[in-house]
Amino acid sequence: MPGPIQSIERAAAILRLLADGSRRLGVSEIADSLGLARGTAHGILRTLQGVGFVEQDGATGKYQLGARLLHLGTSYLDVNELRSRAINWADALAARSGEAVRLGTLLEGQVLVVHHVFRPDDTLQTLEVGALLPLHATALGKVLLAYDANATAALTQDQLEPYTRRTITTTRALARALAEVREVGWAAAVEEMTVGEASVALPIRGYGGLVVGAIGISGAVERICDGKGQPKSSLVAYVRDAARAVSRDLGVSRW
Amino acid sequence: MVERYVLAVDQGTSSTRCILFDHGGRLVAVTQREHKQHFPKPGWVEHDAVEIWHNLERIVPEALAQAGATPDQIVALGIANQRETTVLWDRHTGRPVSRAVVWQDTRTDAFVDELSRSPDGQTVRQRCGLPPATYFSAPKVRWLLDHTPGLRERAERGDVLFGTMESWLIWNLTGGPDGGRHVTDVTNASRTLLMDLTTLNWHDELLTIFGVPRQMLPEIRPSAETFGLARRVLPGVRISAALGDQQAALFGQTCFDQGDAKCTYGTGSFLLLNTGHELIRSTHGLLTTVGYKIGNEPAVYALEGSIAITGALVQWFRDGLGLISTAAEIETLARSVDDNGGCYIVPAFSGLFAPHWRNEARGVIVGLTSYVTKGHMARAVLEATGWQTREVVDAMNADTGLALKALRVDGGMTADNLLMQFIADVLNIPVMRPMAIETVSLGAAYAAGLASGYWPDLEVLRRNWHRAAQWLPAMDAERREVEYENWHRAVERAFGWIKPSERIRRPDEG
């Protein structure tokens, strides 16, 4: 078993130091207090700043604890911020795939639609931002469940409402489906909520790989799926490109 | 078959972007580089034109690399640019005589005040369709000629050239001192205060008023035609479009029919209405401008409502008050309450633009009671953008005698659903966002592709436009009227804040 990781210990010490004081501290003060090289302290502070745990004062360049540290229990990414970071890529995805695009996040056991791009055929469509979708019967929902053990554990058998003949209605079958999502990296729901409709989705990741939402397309099953009833690989690739682009925009360095 | 692309350059106020589009108008590659903003004195804003040129030299090859394309796959290059920003450079060395004076720069305000009050001010209004303002190019040219020793003589000898950013970039792309073409397009020329709006030519009386020698002016060309072949950066590629950024957005939104309108929501917002071949002189505080001109076809005119502060108010809420940490969070905060709680914010930070044009107005927050929270203020911030749009649309309807039927929107603020719904509510017409949010670049690409035959006609471009989202009005008519009335009363309270005697005169002002 590997020993403690030095940089994490040092980061924790910096947070304690900032939490103790009533005033902001400069990088030299922090380095001196902990006996660190200035460059080392600076590197750790920059990383902590990147994840929102410390904030730097614009005028003095000194550091204090970040507001996000006080809200560790709540989602770190505002849903409206997520939309504004994703809007260009969601448009590109709709244009390439020819299908409607939705972005979803978890909200109290359901999928909250935070962004919706119309299918680019100029037919009459209604903006569904703010709508709630079931977790177990949509590709967006399966992605959000697959990477959130708490949300999965909270789902009980009687919440698995059958929408169609193909809806997953047992926790065991759902667990199997979610394991598969984690293995292949994407989720599909083929006629599991509405007969004749299919959807494909992938996770959007923030720093450290945290899944902050899901992006996906949905449309008529004959357009989304091939002859064998499987989502077309070209469409999955488009969704993957969009998910990666948004994740990169959110600061994920490698994905 | 090898894919071919159109390359658009968007030379903006804070950065220069290079975007490749395919035949479907889809974005294939984007590169961007910011340039430094110079603020040498209060009210002064300058850019280094050489830095901007070097940025272009870098981002074009980067965009090609991103798309895995070679220069021979580029059919044409189109430019959209920040408008009015003024560059003067030496024709022999290619070096700017000073830093570029940016559209936001107000160093010419004393001169402009004086001009507005003189009979010449009326001549300018009549010939150009624009009121004298520090915003436009000619006062900036005059200032540089007056304040740079020996410059006027050099300009009169024909050694110094004037241009807005597209002129500067085209001159450099086509060879610079070695035979570079010195041209501008009608949309950019229409923002100088030197062009006659009916003849689309430089006008002697205007040149005299501003003391600008004709020898330094570029040739005015249509927005879409081949200006020449690039000899640098992309040798051999046709340069076939140039438009001011807001006109490019009008084109990119495919507002090709009389009565089509778009609004671009950014730091400020610009609503342009296509008025067809008819030149409408506004009597309600709007600007008359050229929308675009394709080759030898007659020019298409537009009415423009310029709103100084929209997104900038959200930025102030974030940076000045620290009530949110990102601009997008304004929506989250605003949704924490059901209405504005009686609070109204008029963001007249440096006066009000269209349709009021009141320099002496300053921002106000009214209706404060102990009930009002930051959530209500967040609502008031967003509503200010909605009501300012409504005022401009009312002015347009009054000038044209027709009611606007729908509004096409673009720009960063269109990600804010609460705001877009509010705009639909207060205008009482549908608001539509297109799938391509990069409408400025797209407009430059469309114009360039049209001039080079990549796209056959406007109809094909129109078919590329797809609705990504639509907001329908849902506000009760009575509530709309009451709220609009409240907004008017708030605006009245912003007027007249700066007294004439208190106008701050800087020591260097003539």
Short mmCIF file of all heavy atoms in Angstrom, two decimals, chain A residues 68 78-84 87-89 91-92 94-96 114-125 127 129, chain B residues 26-28 325-329 331-332 335 414-417 433-438 463 465-471:
data_model
loop_
_atom_site.label_atom_id
_atom_site.label_comp_id
_atom_site.label_asym_id
_atom_site.label_seq_id
_atom_site.Cartn_x
_atom_site.Cartn_y
_atom_site.Cartn_z
N ARG A 68 -16.45 28.12 -2.53
CA ARG A 68 -16.91 26.76 -2.85
C ARG A 68 -16.63 25.76 -1.73
O ARG A 68 -17.31 24.75 -1.62
CB ARG A 68 -16.24 26.28 -4.13
CG ARG A 68 -16.90 26.84 -5.34
CD ARG A 68 -16.38 26.15 -6.56
NE ARG A 68 -16.81 26.90 -7.74
CZ ARG A 68 -16.11 26.96 -8.85
NH1 ARG A 68 -14.96 26.33 -8.94
NH2 ARG A 68 -16.56 27.63 -9.88
N ASP A 78 -22.73 25.53 -11.19
CA ASP A 78 -24.04 26.10 -11.41
C ASP A 78 -24.59 25.60 -12.74
O ASP A 78 -23.88 25.57 -13.74
CB ASP A 78 -23.87 27.63 -11.42
CG ASP A 78 -25.18 28.35 -11.58
OD1 ASP A 78 -25.64 28.50 -12.73
OD2 ASP A 78 -25.74 28.75 -10.56
N VAL A 79 -25.88 25.22 -12.76
CA VAL A 79 -26.42 24.64 -14.00
C VAL A 79 -26.46 25.66 -15.13
O VAL A 79 -26.31 25.31 -16.30
CB VAL A 79 -27.83 24.03 -13.81
CG1 VAL A 79 -27.77 22.84 -12.85
CG2 VAL A 79 -28.84 25.05 -13.35
N ASN A 80 -26.64 26.92 -14.80
CA ASN A 80 -26.65 27.95 -15.85
C ASN A 80 -25.24 28.18 -16.40
O ASN A 80 -25.07 28.47 -17.57
CB ASN A 80 -27.25 29.24 -15.32
CG ASN A 80 -28.72 29.08 -15.00
OD1 ASN A 80 -29.48 28.60 -15.84
ND2 ASN A 80 -29.11 29.41 -13.79
N GLU A 81 -24.24 28.00 -15.53
CA GLU A 81 -22.86 28.07 -15.97
C GLU A 81 -22.56 26.89 -16.91
O GLU A 81 -21.94 27.05 -17.96
CB GLU A 81 -21.94 28.05 -14.75
CG GLU A 81 -20.46 28.03 -15.04
CD GLU A 81 -19.94 29.32 -15.66
OE1 GLU A 81 -20.66 30.33 -15.64
OE2 GLU A 81 -18.81 29.29 -16.19
N LEU A 82 -23.05 25.72 -16.52
CA LEU A 82 -22.86 24.53 -17.36
C LEU A 82 -23.43 24.77 -18.75
O LEU A 82 -22.81 24.47 -19.76
CB LEU A 82 -23.51 23.32 -16.70
CG LEU A 82 -23.49 22.01 -17.48
CD1 LEU A 82 -22.05 21.56 -17.76
CD2 LEU A 82 -24.24 20.90 -16.73
N ARG A 83 -24.64 25.35 -18.81
CA ARG A 83 -25.26 25.61 -20.11
C ARG A 83 -24.42 26.58 -20.92
O ARG A 83 -24.17 26.36 -22.10
CB ARG A 83 -26.67 26.17 -19.95
CG ARG A 83 -27.33 26.42 -21.31
CD ARG A 83 -28.64 27.20 -21.24
NE ARG A 83 -29.48 26.74 -20.18
CZ ARG A 83 -29.74 27.44 -19.08
NH1 ARG A 83 -29.25 28.66 -18.92
NH2 ARG A 83 -30.51 26.95 -18.15
N SER A 84 -23.95 27.64 -20.27
CA SER A 84 -23.24 28.64 -21.06
C SER A 84 -21.90 28.10 -21.56
O SER A 84 -21.43 28.47 -22.62
CB SER A 84 -23.12 29.96 -20.29
OG SER A 84 -21.95 30.01 -19.57
N ILE A 87 -22.99 25.54 -24.66
CA ILE A 87 -23.95 25.93 -25.69
C ILE A 87 -23.40 25.77 -27.12
O ILE A 87 -24.06 25.24 -28.00
CB ILE A 87 -24.49 27.36 -25.41
CG1 ILE A 87 -25.71 27.66 -26.26
CG2 ILE A 87 -23.43 28.42 -25.58
CD1 ILE A 87 -26.50 28.88 -25.76
N ASN A 88 -22.14 26.16 -27.34
CA ASN A 88 -21.56 26.03 -28.68
C ASN A 88 -21.45 24.58 -29.12
O ASN A 88 -21.73 24.24 -30.26
CB ASN A 88 -20.16 26.66 -28.71
CG ASN A 88 -20.22 28.12 -29.09
OD1 ASN A 88 -21.13 28.56 -29.76
ND2 ASN A 88 -19.22 28.88 -28.64
N TRP A 89 -21.02 23.73 -28.18
CA TRP A 89 -20.81 22.33 -28.52
C TRP A 89 -22.14 21.60 -28.68
O TRP A 89 -22.24 20.69 -29.50
CB TRP A 89 -19.94 21.66 -27.45
CG TRP A 89 -18.64 22.39 -27.28
CD1 TRP A 89 -18.22 23.09 -26.19
CD2 TRP A 89 -17.59 22.52 -28.26
NE1 TRP A 89 -16.98 23.64 -26.43
CE2 TRP A 89 -16.57 23.31 -27.69
CE3 TRP A 89 -17.42 22.03 -29.56
CZ2 TRP A 89 -15.40 23.63 -28.36
CZ3 TRP A 89 -16.25 22.36 -30.24
CH2 TRP A 89 -15.26 23.15 -29.64
N ASP A 91 -24.86 22.98 -29.85
CA ASP A 91 -25.31 23.40 -31.18
C ASP A 91 -24.64 22.56 -32.26
O ASP A 91 -25.28 22.08 -33.19
CB ASP A 91 -24.97 24.87 -31.43
CG ASP A 91 -25.98 25.83 -30.81
OD1 ASP A 91 -26.97 25.34 -30.23
OD2 ASP A 91 -25.78 27.05 -30.91
N ALA A 92 -23.32 22.42 -32.13
CA ALA A 92 -22.56 21.66 -33.14
C ALA A 92 -23.05 20.22 -33.18
O ALA A 92 -23.17 19.63 -34.26
CB ALA A 92 -21.07 21.72 -32.83
N ALA A 94 -26.09 19.11 -32.41
CA ALA A 94 -27.40 19.06 -33.08
C ALA A 94 -27.23 19.20 -34.60
O ALA A 94 -27.88 18.48 -35.37
CB ALA A 94 -28.30 20.18 -32.55
N ALA A 95 -26.32 20.09 -35.01
CA ALA A 95 -26.12 20.30 -36.45
C ALA A 95 -25.55 19.05 -37.10
O ALA A 95 -25.97 18.67 -38.19
CB ALA A 95 -25.18 21.49 -36.67
N ARG A 96 -24.60 18.38 -36.44
CA ARG A 96 -23.97 17.19 -37.03
C ARG A 96 -24.90 16.00 -37.02
O ARG A 96 -24.99 15.26 -38.00
CB ARG A 96 -22.71 16.81 -36.25
CG ARG A 96 -21.62 17.79 -36.46
CD ARG A 96 -20.24 17.20 -36.46
NE ARG A 96 -19.35 18.29 -36.80
CZ ARG A 96 -18.75 19.06 -35.88
NH1 ARG A 96 -18.89 18.79 -34.61
NH2 ARG A 96 -18.01 20.07 -36.27
N VAL A 114 -31.24 20.93 -18.35
CA VAL A 114 -30.70 22.28 -18.15
C VAL A 114 -30.46 22.99 -19.48
O VAL A 114 -30.26 24.20 -19.52
CB VAL A 114 -29.40 22.28 -17.30
CG1 VAL A 114 -29.68 21.73 -15.93
CG2 VAL A 114 -28.28 21.53 -17.98
N HIS A 115 -30.44 22.23 -20.56
CA HIS A 115 -30.28 22.86 -21.88
C HIS A 115 -30.93 21.97 -22.93
O HIS A 115 -30.93 20.75 -22.80
CB HIS A 115 -28.79 23.06 -22.19
CG HIS A 115 -28.55 23.81 -23.47
ND1 HIS A 115 -29.23 24.97 -23.79
CD2 HIS A 115 -27.70 23.58 -24.50
CE1 HIS A 115 -28.80 25.40 -24.98
NE2 HIS A 115 -27.88 24.58 -25.43
N HIS A 116 -31.51 22.61 -23.94
CA HIS A 116 -32.22 21.88 -24.98
C HIS A 116 -32.00 22.61 -26.30
O HIS A 116 -32.21 23.81 -26.38
CB HIS A 116 -33.72 21.84 -24.60
CG HIS A 116 -34.60 21.24 -25.65
ND1 HIS A 116 -35.96 21.44 -25.68
CD2 HIS A 116 -34.33 20.44 -26.72
CE1 HIS A 116 -36.48 20.80 -26.72
NE2 HIS A 116 -35.51 20.20 -27.36
N VAL A 117 -31.52 21.89 -27.29
CA VAL A 117 -31.37 22.44 -28.63
C VAL A 117 -32.34 21.70 -29.53
O VAL A 117 -32.37 20.46 -29.53
CB VAL A 117 -29.93 22.26 -29.17
CG1 VAL A 117 -29.79 22.92 -30.53
CG2 VAL A 117 -28.91 22.81 -28.20
N PHE A 118 -33.12 22.44 -30.31
CA PHE A 118 -34.11 21.82 -31.18
C PHE A 118 -33.45 20.93 -32.23
O PHE A 118 -32.31 21.18 -32.64
CB PHE A 118 -34.93 22.88 -31.93
CG PHE A 118 -35.87 23.69 -31.05
CD1 PHE A 118 -36.45 24.85 -31.55
CD2 PHE A 118 -36.17 23.29 -29.76
CE1 PHE A 118 -37.31 25.60 -30.76
CE2 PHE A 118 -37.04 24.04 -28.96
CZ PHE A 118 -37.60 25.20 -29.47
N ARG A 119 -34.20 19.94 -32.70
CA ARG A 119 -33.79 19.17 -33.87
C ARG A 119 -33.77 20.15 -35.04
O ARG A 119 -34.73 20.91 -35.22
CB ARG A 119 -34.82 18.06 -34.09
CG ARG A 119 -34.50 17.06 -35.17
CD ARG A 119 -35.54 15.94 -35.22
NE ARG A 119 -36.88 16.46 -35.46
CZ ARG A 119 -37.88 16.47 -34.58
NH1 ARG A 119 -37.70 16.00 -33.36
NH2 ARG A 119 -39.06 16.97 -34.88
N PRO A 120 -32.67 20.16 -35.83
CA PRO A 120 -32.53 21.23 -36.84
C PRO A 120 -33.37 21.03 -38.09
O PRO A 120 -32.84 21.05 -39.20
CB PRO A 120 -31.03 21.22 -37.14
CG PRO A 120 -30.59 19.84 -36.84
CD PRO A 120 -31.46 19.33 -35.74
N ASP A 121 -34.66 20.81 -37.95
CA ASP A 121 -35.50 20.68 -39.14
C ASP A 121 -36.59 21.76 -39.18
O ASP A 121 -37.49 21.72 -40.02
CB ASP A 121 -36.13 19.28 -39.21
CG ASP A 121 -37.00 19.00 -38.00
OD1 ASP A 121 -37.20 19.92 -37.16
OD2 ASP A 121 -37.49 17.86 -37.86
N ASP A 122 -36.49 22.72 -38.24
CA ASP A 122 -37.39 23.87 -38.21
C ASP A 122 -38.86 23.51 -38.05
O ASP A 122 -39.75 24.29 -38.38
CB ASP A 122 -37.17 24.77 -39.43
CG ASP A 122 -35.75 25.34 -39.42
OD1 ASP A 122 -35.31 25.79 -38.34
OD2 ASP A 122 -35.09 25.30 -40.46
N THR A 123 -39.14 22.28 -37.56
CA THR A 123 -40.52 21.96 -37.21
C THR A 123 -40.83 22.63 -35.87
O THR A 123 -39.92 23.08 -35.16
CB THR A 123 -40.72 20.44 -37.05
OG1 THR A 123 -39.76 19.98 -36.09
CG2 THR A 123 -40.51 19.73 -38.37
N LEU A 124 -42.11 22.68 -35.53
CA LEU A 124 -42.50 23.32 -34.28
C LEU A 124 -42.05 22.45 -33.10
O LEU A 124 -42.44 21.29 -33.01
CB LEU A 124 -44.02 23.52 -34.27
CG LEU A 124 -44.52 24.34 -33.08
CD1 LEU A 124 -44.02 25.78 -33.17
CD2 LEU A 124 -46.03 24.32 -33.03
N GLN A 125 -41.20 23.00 -32.26
CA GLN A 125 -40.75 22.29 -31.08
C GLN A 125 -40.82 23.24 -29.90
O GLN A 125 -40.74 24.44 -30.09
CB GLN A 125 -39.31 21.78 -31.28
CG GLN A 125 -39.20 20.73 -32.39
CD GLN A 125 -37.76 20.55 -32.88
OE1 GLN A 125 -36.92 20.02 -32.18
NE2 GLN A 125 -37.49 21.00 -34.09
N LEU A 127 -39.38 24.46 -26.14
CA LEU A 127 -38.19 24.44 -25.29
C LEU A 127 -38.51 23.73 -23.98
O LEU A 127 -39.47 24.07 -23.31
CB LEU A 127 -37.76 25.89 -25.03
CG LEU A 127 -36.28 26.12 -24.72
CD1 LEU A 127 -35.40 25.59 -25.85
CD2 LEU A 127 -36.03 27.60 -24.53
N VAL A 129 -36.35 23.27 -21.33
CA VAL A 129 -35.45 23.56 -20.22
C VAL A 129 -36.27 23.63 -18.94
O VAL A 129 -37.31 24.28 -18.90
CB VAL A 129 -34.70 24.88 -20.46
CG1 VAL A 129 -33.84 25.24 -19.26
CG2 VAL A 129 -33.85 24.77 -21.71
N ARG B 26 -21.46 24.92 -41.08
CA ARG B 26 -21.09 24.37 -39.77
C ARG B 26 -19.65 24.74 -39.45
O ARG B 26 -18.78 24.77 -40.32
CB ARG B 26 -21.25 22.85 -39.76
CG ARG B 26 -22.69 22.41 -39.72
CD ARG B 26 -22.78 20.90 -39.78
NE ARG B 26 -22.24 20.42 -41.04
CZ ARG B 26 -22.92 19.67 -41.90
NH1 ARG B 26 -24.15 19.32 -41.65
NH2 ARG B 26 -22.36 19.26 -43.02
N LEU B 27 -19.45 24.98 -38.16
CA LEU B 27 -18.14 25.40 -37.67
C LEU B 27 -17.20 24.20 -37.64
O LEU B 27 -17.53 23.15 -37.11
CB LEU B 27 -18.41 25.94 -36.27
CG LEU B 27 -17.43 26.64 -35.43
CD1 LEU B 27 -18.20 27.61 -34.55
CD2 LEU B 27 -16.71 25.65 -34.59
N VAL B 28 -16.01 24.35 -38.27
CA VAL B 28 -15.08 23.23 -38.36
C VAL B 28 -13.86 23.44 -37.47
O VAL B 28 -13.33 22.49 -36.90
CB VAL B 28 -14.65 23.04 -39.83
CG1 VAL B 28 -13.63 21.93 -39.96
CG2 VAL B 28 -15.86 22.75 -40.71
N SER B 325 -20.42 34.78 -8.92
CA SER B 325 -19.02 34.54 -9.28
C SER B 325 -18.83 34.30 -10.77
O SER B 325 -17.72 34.43 -11.28
CB SER B 325 -18.43 33.38 -8.46
OG SER B 325 -19.20 32.23 -8.64
N THR B 326 -19.90 33.94 -11.48
CA THR B 326 -19.80 33.88 -12.93
C THR B 326 -21.04 34.57 -13.50
O THR B 326 -22.08 34.65 -12.83
CB THR B 326 -19.78 32.44 -13.48
OG1 THR B 326 -21.05 31.83 -13.22
CG2 THR B 326 -18.68 31.61 -12.83
N ALA B 327 -20.94 35.05 -14.74
CA ALA B 327 -22.05 35.78 -15.35
C ALA B 327 -23.30 34.90 -15.43
O ALA B 327 -24.42 35.37 -15.22
CB ALA B 327 -21.64 36.27 -16.74
N ALA B 328 -23.11 33.62 -15.71
CA ALA B 328 -24.27 32.73 -15.88
C ALA B 328 -25.07 32.60 -14.59
O ALA B 328 -26.28 32.33 -14.62
CB ALA B 328 -23.81 31.36 -16.37
N GLU B 329 -24.42 32.80 -13.44
CA GLU B 329 -25.11 32.63 -12.16
C GLU B 329 -26.17 33.70 -11.91
O GLU B 329 -27.00 33.57 -11.01
CB GLU B 329 -24.10 32.66 -11.00
CG GLU B 329 -23.39 31.34 -10.83
CD GLU B 329 -22.27 31.44 -9.81
OE1 GLU B 329 -22.38 32.24 -8.87
OE2 GLU B 329 -21.27 30.71 -9.97
N GLU B 331 -28.68 34.15 -13.61
CA GLU B 331 -29.97 33.49 -13.84
C GLU B 331 -30.39 32.69 -12.61
O GLU B 331 -31.55 32.71 -12.20
CB GLU B 331 -29.91 32.59 -15.08
CG GLU B 331 -31.26 31.97 -15.39
CD GLU B 331 -31.30 31.16 -16.68
OE1 GLU B 331 -30.31 31.20 -17.46
OE2 GLU B 331 -32.32 30.50 -16.92
N THR B 332 -29.43 31.99 -12.01
CA THR B 332 -29.72 31.21 -10.81
C THR B 332 -30.24 32.12 -9.70
O THR B 332 -31.25 31.84 -9.05
CB THR B 332 -28.44 30.49 -10.33
OG1 THR B 332 -27.87 29.81 -11.44
CG2 THR B 332 -28.75 29.50 -9.22
N ARG B 335 -33.68 33.54 -10.46
CA ARG B 335 -34.75 32.56 -10.33
C ARG B 335 -35.07 32.23 -8.87
O ARG B 335 -36.02 31.50 -8.58
CB ARG B 335 -34.39 31.27 -11.06
CG ARG B 335 -34.58 31.34 -12.56
CD ARG B 335 -34.42 29.97 -13.20
NE ARG B 335 -34.35 30.06 -14.65
CZ ARG B 335 -35.41 30.13 -15.45
NH1 ARG B 335 -36.64 30.10 -14.95
NH2 ARG B 335 -35.25 30.20 -16.76
N THR B 414 -27.59 34.90 -24.90
CA THR B 414 -28.71 34.05 -25.32
C THR B 414 -28.71 32.72 -24.57
O THR B 414 -29.67 31.96 -24.66
CB THR B 414 -28.69 33.77 -26.84
OG1 THR B 414 -27.44 33.17 -27.18
CG2 THR B 414 -28.86 35.05 -27.63
N ALA B 415 -27.63 32.42 -23.83
CA ALA B 415 -27.63 31.22 -23.00
C ALA B 415 -28.53 31.39 -21.78
O ALA B 415 -28.84 30.43 -21.10
CB ALA B 415 -26.21 30.89 -22.55
N ASP B 416 -28.95 32.62 -21.51
CA ASP B 416 -29.78 32.91 -20.35
C ASP B 416 -31.26 32.78 -20.71
O ASP B 416 -31.84 33.67 -21.33
CB ASP B 416 -29.47 34.33 -19.85
CG ASP B 416 -30.03 34.59 -18.47
OD1 ASP B 416 -31.21 34.25 -18.24
OD2 ASP B 416 -29.31 35.14 -17.63
N ASN B 417 -31.85 31.67 -20.32
CA ASN B 417 -33.25 31.39 -20.70
C ASN B 417 -34.23 32.36 -20.07
O ASN B 417 -35.22 32.73 -20.69
CB ASN B 417 -33.62 29.97 -20.30
CG ASN B 417 -33.09 28.96 -21.28
OD1 ASN B 417 -33.60 28.86 -22.39
ND2 ASN B 417 -32.07 28.25 -20.90
N ARG B 433 -33.37 31.77 -31.41
CA ARG B 433 -31.91 31.64 -31.42
C ARG B 433 -31.53 30.64 -32.51
O ARG B 433 -32.09 29.55 -32.55
CB ARG B 433 -31.43 31.12 -30.06
CG ARG B 433 -29.93 30.94 -29.95
CD ARG B 433 -29.51 30.51 -28.55
NE ARG B 433 -29.63 29.06 -28.33
CZ ARG B 433 -28.75 28.16 -28.75
NH1 ARG B 433 -27.70 28.54 -29.44
NH2 ARG B 433 -28.92 26.88 -28.49
N PRO B 434 -30.59 31.00 -33.40
CA PRO B 434 -30.19 30.05 -34.43
C PRO B 434 -29.17 29.06 -33.90
O PRO B 434 -28.56 29.28 -32.85
CB PRO B 434 -29.53 30.95 -35.48
CG PRO B 434 -28.94 32.05 -34.69
CD PRO B 434 -29.86 32.28 -33.52
N MET B 435 -29.00 27.97 -34.64
CA MET B 435 -28.10 26.93 -34.20
C MET B 435 -26.65 27.39 -34.22
O MET B 435 -25.83 26.91 -33.46
CB MET B 435 -28.27 25.71 -35.08
CG MET B 435 -27.87 24.45 -34.41
SD MET B 435 -28.89 23.10 -34.91
CE MET B 435 -30.36 23.33 -33.96
N ALA B 436 -26.33 28.33 -35.10
CA ALA B 436 -24.96 28.84 -35.14
C ALA B 436 -24.91 30.12 -34.34
O ALA B 436 -25.43 31.14 -34.77
CB ALA B 436 -24.55 29.10 -36.57
N ILE B 437 -24.28 30.06 -33.19
CA ILE B 437 -24.25 31.23 -32.32
C ILE B 437 -23.17 32.21 -32.78
O ILE B 437 -23.21 33.39 -32.48
CB ILE B 437 -24.06 30.77 -30.86
CG1 ILE B 437 -24.54 31.84 -29.89
CG2 ILE B 437 -22.65 30.37 -30.60
CD1 ILE B 437 -24.67 31.32 -28.47
N GLU B 438 -22.20 31.72 -33.58
CA GLU B 438 -21.10 32.56 -34.07
C GLU B 438 -21.55 33.32 -35.31
O GLU B 438 -20.99 33.16 -36.39
CB GLU B 438 -19.89 31.69 -34.41
CG GLU B 438 -19.32 30.92 -33.25
CD GLU B 438 -18.53 31.82 -32.30
OE1 GLU B 438 -18.27 32.98 -32.67
OE2 GLU B 438 -18.17 31.35 -31.22
N ARG B 463 -31.45 28.48 -46.15
CA ARG B 463 -31.77 27.11 -45.78
C ARG B 463 -30.79 26.55 -44.75
O ARG B 463 -31.08 25.56 -44.09
CB ARG B 463 -31.80 26.21 -47.02
CG ARG B 463 -33.07 26.40 -47.85
CD ARG B 463 -33.35 25.18 -48.71
NE ARG B 463 -32.33 24.96 -49.74
CZ ARG B 463 -32.38 25.50 -50.95
NH1 ARG B 463 -33.39 26.27 -51.30
NH2 ARG B 463 -31.43 25.25 -51.82
N TRP B 465 -29.98 28.20 -42.14
CA TRP B 465 -30.38 28.75 -40.84
C TRP B 465 -31.35 27.79 -40.17
O TRP B 465 -32.36 27.42 -40.76
CB TRP B 465 -31.03 30.12 -41.04
CG TRP B 465 -31.25 30.88 -39.75
CD1 TRP B 465 -30.42 31.81 -39.21
CD2 TRP B 465 -32.36 30.77 -38.84
NE1 TRP B 465 -30.93 32.28 -38.02
CE2 TRP B 465 -32.11 31.66 -37.77
CE3 TRP B 465 -33.52 30.00 -38.81
CZ2 TRP B 465 -32.99 31.81 -36.70
CZ3 TRP B 465 -34.40 30.14 -37.74
CH2 TRP B 465 -34.13 31.04 -36.71
N HIS B 466 -31.02 27.36 -38.97
CA HIS B 466 -31.94 26.49 -38.24
C HIS B 466 -32.17 27.03 -36.85
O HIS B 466 -31.27 27.57 -36.21
CB HIS B 466 -31.37 25.07 -38.14
CG HIS B 466 -31.24 24.40 -39.46
ND1 HIS B 466 -32.33 24.14 -40.26
CD2 HIS B 466 -30.15 23.99 -40.13
CE1 HIS B 466 -31.91 23.56 -41.38
NE2 HIS B 466 -30.59 23.46 -41.33
N ARG B 467 -33.42 26.84 -36.41
CA ARG B 467 -33.80 27.33 -35.09
C ARG B 467 -33.29 26.37 -34.03
O ARG B 467 -33.60 25.18 -34.07
CB ARG B 467 -35.32 27.42 -35.05
CG ARG B 467 -35.87 28.18 -33.90
CD ARG B 467 -37.31 28.58 -34.18
NE ARG B 467 -38.07 27.46 -34.71
CZ ARG B 467 -39.01 27.56 -35.64
NH1 ARG B 467 -39.32 28.73 -36.14
NH2 ARG B 467 -39.66 26.50 -36.07
N ALA B 468 -32.50 26.88 -33.08
CA ALA B 468 -32.01 26.04 -31.99
C ALA B 468 -32.91 26.15 -30.78
O ALA B 468 -33.00 25.24 -29.97
CB ALA B 468 -30.59 26.44 -31.61
N ALA B 469 -33.57 27.31 -30.65
CA ALA B 469 -34.48 27.52 -29.52
C ALA B 469 -35.43 28.65 -29.87
O ALA B 469 -35.10 29.52 -30.69
CB ALA B 469 -33.71 27.86 -28.26
N GLN B 470 -36.60 28.62 -29.28
CA GLN B 470 -37.57 29.68 -29.49
C GLN B 470 -38.32 29.97 -28.20
O GLN B 470 -38.68 29.05 -27.47
CB GLN B 470 -38.56 29.25 -30.58
CG GLN B 470 -39.73 30.21 -30.74
CD GLN B 470 -40.47 29.96 -32.04
OE1 GLN B 470 -40.13 30.50 -33.08
NE2 GLN B 470 -41.47 29.10 -32.00
N TRP B 471 -38.49 31.25 -27.92
CA TRP B 471 -39.25 31.66 -26.73
C TRP B 471 -40.48 32.42 -27.18
O TRP B 471 -40.38 33.36 -28.00
CB TRP B 471 -38.38 32.54 -25.83
CG TRP B 471 -37.20 31.81 -25.26
CD1 TRP B 471 -37.14 31.16 -24.07
CD2 TRP B 471 -35.90 31.66 -25.86
NE1 TRP B 471 -35.89 30.61 -23.89
CE2 TRP B 471 -35.12 30.90 -24.97
CE3 TRP B 471 -35.32 32.08 -27.07
CZ2 TRP B 471 -33.79 30.55 -25.24
CZ3 TRP B 471 -34.00 31.74 -27.34
CH2 TRP B 471 -33.25 30.97 -26.43
#
